[in-house]
Amino acid sequence: MEISNDLAVKKPKRLTSVVWNHFERVRKADICYAVCIHCNKRLSGSSNSGTTHLRNHLMRCLKRSSTIDVSQLLAAKRRKKDTTVSLANISFDEGQRKDDYIKPTILKFDQEQKKDEIFNLGSGRFDQERSRIDLARMIIVHGYPLAMVDHVGFKVFVKNLQPLFEVVPNSSVEQACMEIYGKEKLKVYETINKLHGRINLSVEMWSSPENVEYLCLTAHYIDEDWKLQKKILSFVTLDSSHTEDMLSEVINKCLMDWDVDRKLFALTFDNCSTDDDIVIRIKEQISHKRPLLSTGQLYDVRSAAHVLNSIVQDAMEALREVTQKIRASVKYVKSSQVTQGKFNEISQEVGINSEKNLLFDCPIRWNSTYLMLETALEYRGAFSLLQEHDPDYISALTDTEWEWASSVTGYLKLFLEITNVFSGNKFPTANMYFPEVCDVHIQLIEWCKSPDNFLSSMAVKMKAKFDKYWSKCSLALAVAAILDPRFKMKLVEYYYSQIYGSTALDRIKEVSDGIKELFNAYSICSTLVDQGSALPGSSLPSTSNDTRDRLRGFDKFLHETSQSQNAISDLDKYLEEPVFPRNCDFNILNWWKVHMPRYPILSMMARDVLGTPMSTVAPESAFNIGGRVLDHCRSSLDANTRQALICTQDWLRMEPGDVNSSSSLSPAPLLIEPS
């Protein structure tokens, strides 16, 4: 029913509903009316009438005009009068004027989007193309399948949410994803090539349920604000024609495509058994772009978490028969309520007061096997007595087997704690690995001395695998620890005296010489930068065919012979000063950022060393016995599309420490559990 116009009157009280942003309240005599500011239609405005009829009118009114996304406007909840109504960062101020009822508030999908990529709700018009890009971005970030746009439920949901949106086909979404990939790739390329420091590259092998292999190459670096960053550069599908010796070509191609071969500091492989020839070939390819250290050890790094996982598998294999008996024993006890009740009575009889319940393990996750063994050991006495009371229990362990299980469980506990340290740190700088790896080394030495042949032979096999890793990575680990101001050379001296005994001094000198050699390379670079002969964006000097570079040897000679005439070096000054007190809130990157003016050359070296990925394992796969497995959703895609989605998802990932990020915005993992 239409009602005649009248003058607007002052509202007696604040109107709390968002609907009143679109209506004026007018009064005629003792009756109040609501006048729509869009079409001037008048409806009942009495407080007894509520606002449902106003909302219904507003839906019809705005839908006809197609100027406002009313479904977004009306989704807002009521708030207290001194707060604002918000919807995913979209705010409406209840006290705003009627002619400014929608303030142009932006909704950022990710932090790095530029203004032309941000959806502006206050623009007042629905944008089909913008929505298509937003849909593609959502699919990328959350790891949704491209085919979701063909799902009936999704189509119904979108149609009810925004009738004006035309659901695009699968191919259109894929095209939008590739457009986003191209734009984001350019941003990452510019960021990496503007770095003053160097980058480190981790090389990881993935597989799929169809046994297809992939190579994931990730750049790790510390940015200009001294924040640890990592970006996936390539996710290459390896077809059946690829052989292991061809991996060097794939890696070199990635380095050249991204123009980072001249900025490379270290390569980290996830497999300690990777053929050394691969690394040699990569070195040969890029050696004309940058000089390598004579030792080469800082250049070739293997993942610490992966070597621990491999050692754990040796222990699990040695204890396999005992583990199977314990698994069968747990299964028997939990097979019926009667058996479980009998077992509980026996447990009380022998004085076991453990609050833990027996549990099954997931054989492909060794931390669950550890928990099963640990719990079963607490009920060892009950299992032994159960054998005497129940003739159907045939999986009993001997005393020797129980001792083996106890010892190996102790070993696994150490590896579990260290793996948690590696995978639980949000910002795993290289300095944190040395003490953990040294603890493993010391324990392996002790385990090899066991009088039990079963345990000692198992430990010898584990130590042989560890020694191969240690020979490649010990110098890199030690140098990173020295660059921690809480430790310096003291931590190396402390652990090496336990590991090497009488030969410790010689080993300590090797580390000291190694870090001095690296520092001298950076010192020469600093001189060349002053002379303008270093590559832009590079922290180590380059080599070219320019005639002036023929005197590079002279530069090194001049630097070495002039050291005695110069003031004390950054490295000597750093090592001579007292160690920084240890505390739980220490942030090594902040420390070096603050101390850059005091150690200008050493801080440049520290930036590159501390950014080296000493471990490449992801938290969700830290305890997996198998490798990283791509889910079927991604493995079924075209190779180029797969790479685009995986790389772009990584680039759009919210920073873990961002207070504005929500857990709901964290991308879905690309991993599935191996079968």
Side-chain angles (χ1 to χ4, degrees):
M1 177 179 178
E2 299 290 338
I3 304 172
S4 60
N5 286 319
D6 200 1
L7 294 176
V9 297
K10 182 179 179 180
K11 294 187 284 290
K13 65 176 182 178
R14 183 180 295 274
L15 301 174
T16 59
S17 174
V18 172
V19 172
W20 288 108
N21 289 325
H22 305 272
F23 290 89
E24 279 194 42
R25 207 174 194 185
V26 298
R27 181 183 299 275
K28 183 177 182 181
D30 294 331
I31 303 176
C32 290
Y33 309 106
V35 181
C36 177
I37 65 175
H38 303 290
C39 66
N40 291 326
K41 185 171 183 177
R42 300 180 186 182
L43 304 163
S44 173
S46 170
S47 58
N48 295 329
S49 301
T51 58
T52 300
H53 65 298
L54 302 181
R55 289 175 181 269
N56 292 338
H57 167 77
L58 193 59
M59 287 289 289
R60 294 189 296 271
C61 178
L62 296 185
K63 185 175 179 181
R64 285 196 299 269
S65 66
S66 299
T67 59
I68 302 292
D69 188 351
V70 69
S71 60
Q72 293 282 353
L73 294 175
L74 297 186
K77 306 260 185 181
R78 292 186 179 182
R79 304 287 184 185
K80 294 180 181 179
K81 70 177 183 177
D82 59 341
T83 62
T84 60
V85 180
S86 64
L87 174 65
N89 298 339
I90 306 172
S91 299
F92 300 95
D93 187 350
E94 293 177 341
Q96 58 195 336
R97 300 188 308 272
K98 70 172 184 177
D99 58 341
D100 190 28
Y101 59 91
I102 304 177
K103 290 188 176 181
T105 306
I106 59 176
L107 173 61
K108 285 191 176 182
F109 201 89
D110 71 270
Q111 296 179 2
E112 297 181 354
Q113 283 180 271
K114 295 181 180 179
K115 292 181 179 179
D116 60 343
E117 296 176 343
I118 297 170
F119 175 55
N120 191 332
L121 186 61
S123 62
R125 290 192 177 277
F126 169 72
D127 188 336
Q128 171 72 22
E129 178 61 18
R130 178 68 258 177
S131 297
R132 182 181 74 95
I133 296 296
D134 286 342
L135 173 60
R137 193 179 291 268
M138 177 190 74
I139 287 175
I140 292 172
V141 171
H142 296 285
Y144 297 143
L146 293 174
M148 72 174 290
V149 297
D150 298 325
H151 297 169
V152 174
F154 176 77
K155 291 181 178 180
V156 171
F157 169 75
V158 170
K159 186 59 64 176
N160 289 332
L161 186 67
Q162 174 51 270
L164 298 177
F165 178 69
E166 297 179 7
V167 179
V168 293
N170 193 325
S171 58
S172 179
V173 175
E174 182 176 347
Q175 180 183 355
C177 290
M178 298 302 291
E179 293 171 6
I180 296 171
Y181 168 69
K183 189 176 295 186
E184 296 299 328
K185 182 177 181 179
L186 181 60
K187 293 180 186 178
V188 175
Y189 178 88
E190 292 175 348
T191 297
I192 290 179
N193 281 273
K194 287 179 182 178
L195 288 174
H196 288 94
R198 305 182 75 80
I199 71 160
N200 305 281
L201 192 71
S202 65
V203 182
E204 299 176 87
M205 294 298 299
W206 289 51
S207 63
S208 73
E210 298 78 24
N211 293 323
V212 178
E213 291 191 325
Y214 311 95
L215 194 67
C216 182
L217 304 175
T218 307
H220 303 254
Y221 59 91
I222 293 174
D223 64 19
E224 304 309 310
D225 197 34
W226 284 86
K227 302 293 185 184
L228 186 63
Q229 305 286 352
K230 68 173 183 175
K231 305 288 183 184
I232 295 179
L233 301 184
S234 296
F235 196 87
V236 183
T237 303
L238 303 177
D239 58 40
S240 56
S241 64
H242 274 87
T243 56
E244 187 170 332
D245 58 353
M246 295 175 64
L247 291 180
S248 60
E249 298 177 13
V250 176
I251 296 171
N252 275 321
K253 184 179 184 303
C254 171
L255 294 174
M256 290 185 290
D257 288 346
W258 284 87
D259 197 22
V260 293
D261 49 342
R262 62 188 175 84
K263 299 173 69 71
L264 189 63
F265 179 76
L267 271 172
T268 301
F269 291 87
D270 62 352
N271 191 344
C272 198
S273 62
T274 299
D275 191 350
D276 291 340
D277 290 341
I278 295 176
V279 181
I280 293 173
R281 282 192 289 270
I282 295 173
K283 288 181 181 181
E284 291 174 349
Q285 288 287 333
I286 68 172
S287 59
H288 67 283
K289 294 288 188 73
R290 69 177 288 271
L292 302 178
L293 299 179
S294 60
T295 61
Q297 291 191 62
L298 284 177
Y299 187 81
D300 180 10
V301 180
R302 305 302 162 98
S303 172
H306 283 80
V307 74
L308 290 187
N309 218 330
S310 181
I311 290 173
V312 166
Q313 290 182 48
D314 289 341
M316 299 293 290
E317 177 59 27
L319 197 69
R320 180 168 52 86
E321 293 183 4
V322 175
T323 303
Q324 288 175 347
K325 283 189 175 183
I326 292 177
R327 192 178 291 124
S329 298
V330 173
K331 183 177 181 180
Y332 178 77
V333 170
K334 300 176 75 68
S335 62
S336 69
Q337 293 183 355
V338 174
T339 308
Q340 179 75 68
K342 184 189 299 184
F343 185 80
N344 292 341
E345 292 176 2
I346 294 175
S347 299
Q348 294 178 0
E349 183 179 334
V350 298
I352 297 175
N353 298 316
S354 176
E355 296 182 356
K356 296 180 180 178
N357 295 319
L358 294 174
L359 47 82
F360 292 112
D361 68 329
C362 176
I364 63 172
R365 293 187 64 84
W366 66 263
N367 59 327
S368 69
T369 303
Y370 161 77
L371 293 174
M372 181 187 72
L373 296 175
E374 181 189 46
T375 306
L377 283 165
E378 294 189 18
Y379 289 92
R380 173 179 174 177
F383 279 115
S384 299
L385 199 58
L386 180 64
Q387 182 183 12
E388 301 176 7
H389 289 73
D390 191 342
D392 294 330
Y393 174 50
I394 58 175
S395 302
L397 281 71
T398 65
D399 289 340
T400 300
E401 289 174 329
W402 278 115
E403 290 301 323
W404 290 346
S406 179
S407 297
V408 173
T409 301
Y411 301 169
L412 295 179
K413 182 179 181 181
L414 173 66
F415 295 132
L416 178 79
E417 293 171 349
I418 294 177
T419 302
N420 280 331
V421 171
F422 290 170
S423 62
N425 196 309
K426 292 182 178 179
F427 307 101
T429 47
N431 60 299
M432 61 176 274
Y433 294 90
F434 181 74
E436 306 294 342
V437 173
C438 284
D439 280 341
V440 173
H441 198 168
I442 292 170
Q443 289 301 318
L444 285 171
I445 293 173
E446 292 301 315
W447 297 341
C448 288
K449 299 176 183 178
S450 173
D452 188 296
N453 290 333
F454 171 81
L455 296 175
S456 60
S457 61
M458 178 185 66
V460 167
K461 183 178 180 181
M462 295 161 66
K463 188 174 183 301
K465 189 171 289 185
F466 176 86
D467 287 344
K468 184 177 181 181
Y469 164 80
W470 181 257
S471 67
K472 288 182 175 294
C473 304
S474 59
L475 180 58
L477 293 166
V479 168
I482 293 170
L483 292 174
D484 189 326
R486 300 169 298 172
F487 303 138
K488 301 186 178 181
M489 283 297 299
K490 292 297 182 182
L491 193 66
V492 176
E493 295 168 2
Y494 169 74
Y495 276 113
Y496 274 31
S497 62
Q498 299 178 63
I499 294 171
Y500 294 111
S502 59
T503 62
L505 291 179
D506 294 335
R507 299 290 187 167
I508 293 170
K509 185 177 184 304
E510 290 176 4
V511 174
S512 179
D513 292 344
I515 192 171
K516 287 178 181 177
E517 178 189 9
L518 182 61
F519 177 76
N520 288 339
Y522 278 83
S523 298
I524 295 172
C525 170
S526 178
T527 303
L528 295 177
V529 168
D530 293 338
Q531 298 172 358
S533 58
L535 276 174
S538 176
S539 54
L540 286 179
S542 64
T543 304
S544 69
N545 294 324
D546 196 298
T547 307
R548 291 172 295 177
D549 286 333
R550 293 176 182 174
L551 293 178
R552 178 171 300 282
F554 172 74
D555 292 329
K556 183 177 181 181
F557 168 79
L558 182 64
H559 168 74
E560 293 174 348
T561 56
S562 303
Q563 278 187 327
S564 59
Q565 303 173 10
N566 295 335
I568 186 172
S569 71
D570 280 7
L571 179 61
D572 292 335
K573 185 195 310 180
Y574 169 79
L575 293 177
E576 289 176 3
E577 292 175 349
V579 297
F580 191 80
R582 289 202 310 126
N583 63 76
C584 59
D585 296 327
F586 179 75
N587 185 314
I588 189 170
L589 297 184
N590 284 347
W591 190 93
W592 277 106
K593 180 180 180 181
V594 170
H595 288 81
M596 279 182 65
R598 182 165 180 78
Y599 311 110
I601 299 175
L602 190 62
S603 63
M604 183 167 58
M605 184 178 98
R607 185 201 299 267
D608 298 339
V609 172
L610 295 175
T612 304
M614 296 297 178
S615 178
T616 59
V617 69
E620 65 268 16
S621 60
F623 299 101
N624 279 1
I625 291 179
R628 304 189 72 175
V629 182
L630 196 65
D631 61 28
H632 179 72
C633 173
R634 292 289 184 256
S635 64
S636 60
L637 296 172
D638 169 78
N640 292 331
T641 304
R642 176 168 48 248
Q643 174 172 257
L645 292 178
I646 291 175
C647 291
T648 313
Q649 183 189 52
D650 178 73
W651 301 337
L652 296 179
R653 191 186 304 271
M654 290 284 191
E655 289 297 328
D658 180 15
V659 296
N660 295 320
S661 64
S662 168
S663 59
S664 63
L665 292 179
S666 300
L670 296 172
L671 293 168
I672 63 172
E673 297 289 357
S675 57

